[in-house]
Amino acid sequence: MSIFPLLIPCSGRVRVEPRGMSRAGRRSQLLRAGSIREAGGGCTMAPDPWFSTYDSTCQIAQEIAEKIQQRTQHERNGENTTRLTVTIRALLQNLKEKIALLKDLLLRAVSTHQITQLEGDRRQSLLDDLVTRERLLLASFKNEGAEPDLIRSSLMTGGAKRGVPNPWLFEEPEETRGLGFDEIRQQQQKIIQEQDAGLDALSSIISRQKQMGREIGNELDEQNEIIDDLANLVDKTDEKLRTETRRVNLVDRKSASCGV
């Protein structure tokens, strides 16, 4: 196999590529660096903002995991964690905005046919992994999950060195394996509909409990009025008894003086 470079014409220019690299390997590198468009026998390569945004989002998630681990260590040492908590909260908000941007970029690329269906499915799988990781980080930040395991796994995904994560190394989840982009979207919509139905049922239960609380409150008000009336009657009866007692004592004294 020859090791001399191969000259490939591209839009009237000459681009040098290693002869030992296969066509599939060259195309995968170009897809990783940006999107390829072919027109009129030439080719132009425009940078793909999706991967750069994805890489920065993964770095933010990695930084959040490290900050949460630092906060846990500070809490164990009895140190103040206010500054770390504020930083983590800001990073979580930034992570949420980045994921929303990735969803918008992916939807735009698929709807305008800038990428293939297979590439759209692969990016959707990467995006789902990011969403799951965001939920785990948020639960760990609120101390709702197994924080040490989460931080350890988050740090392991970063590798031994901190760098740009490689999205091609992520394994597709079992739930979405073999499904197309439209099927995954329908599955997500079905899950959202089930969650909405559960929220509606929960809202109905809360409404009934609220109505029961109001009825109990009204009943307590009526009972309080009855108790107040009874207290007034008791006070009046007590006053009458005292008056009659004084009269009886007066009669006894008069009868005693008459007998003498």
Side-chain angles (χ1 to χ4, degrees), residues 121-189:
D121 295 341
R122 189 184 68 83
R123 295 188 185 185
Q124 182 64 42
S125 176
L126 297 179
L127 188 56
D128 292 340
D129 291 339
L130 265 181
V131 172
T132 301
R133 193 174 182 187
E134 179 198 13
R135 294 176 181 173
L136 292 176
L137 289 171
L138 184 59
S140 178
F141 173 67
K142 295 180 178 180
N143 294 325
E144 296 176 354
E147 185 172 344
D149 296 337
L150 168 64
I151 300 303
R152 189 180 299 111
S153 62
S154 298
L155 291 176
M156 289 296 292
T157 55
K161 61 179 182 178
R162 294 186 61 185
V164 177
N166 186 1
W168 298 92
L169 298 179
F170 281 88
E171 185 178 359
E172 184 177 1
E174 191 69 26
E175 294 80 4
T176 60
R177 187 168 299 172
L179 298 179
F181 182 77
D182 293 334
E183 294 173 339
I184 294 175
R185 184 170 56 185
Q186 292 176 0
Q187 184 180 20
Q188 291 178 345
Q189 290 177 351

